[in-house]
Amino acid sequence: MSKRPLNRRNLRAEADAVAARGIPLGPSRPSRAKSDAPTLRPKPAASPRMKIVWAVCDLGGRTIATFEYAEKAAAEAKIADLKARNKGNHFLRSVKEPIPHSGTSSPD
């Protein structure tokens, strides 16, 4: 024989009848006191602003010279100069560097 789910209306009527007699229905839950303020995570520190520069590197990956991003032709000329002087093979790669803080605010 299958068990049928209990009817909510019947259960509510029984609970009201028991409450009318003054019989406690069960252990009451103690209310939890809420904390004054929710604990929030601190905001992560803002990372410094970055700029991209061209870096002339040797085959070991060490940076020989850096050039501003707009000066790619000058960086390639430096590689050609090093190759002409038999200083070994070099390559060009872009590198992110932090922008130095000038200490003065920008004029808006």
Side-chain angles (χ1 to χ4, degrees):
M1 181 172 203
S2 68
K3 236 181 175 183
R4 289 181 43 191
L6 299 175
N7 188 343
R8 287 183 301 135
R9 290 187 183 133
N10 293 343
L11 291 175
R12 184 78 238 161
E14 290 174 11
D16 289 341
V18 170
R21 292 183 196 155
I23 302 172
L25 294 175
S28 62
R29 292 187 196 173
S31 61
R32 289 193 283 175
K34 293 186 178 183
S35 62
D36 295 338
T39 56
L40 299 176
R41 293 183 193 173
K43 288 186 178 180
S47 60
R49 292 182 57 199
M50 304 294 273
K51 68 178 180 177
I52 297 178
V53 296
W54 293 109
V56 176
C57 301
D58 62 2
L59 291 179
R62 292 182 298 268
T63 301
I64 304 299
T66 59
F67 296 88
E68 294 295 322
Y69 187 77
E71 301 173 355
K72 185 175 181 179
E76 291 172 341
K78 176 75 171 179
I79 292 173
D81 179 47
L82 290 171
K83 188 172 185 177
R85 291 191 295 152
N86 292 328
K87 296 290 184 179
N89 291 330
H90 294 79
F91 62 95
L92 188 65
R93 70 175 167 193
S94 61
V95 177
K96 288 185 179 181
E97 288 183 348
I99 296 176
H101 183 64
S102 62
T104 60
S105 63
S106 62
D108 283 347

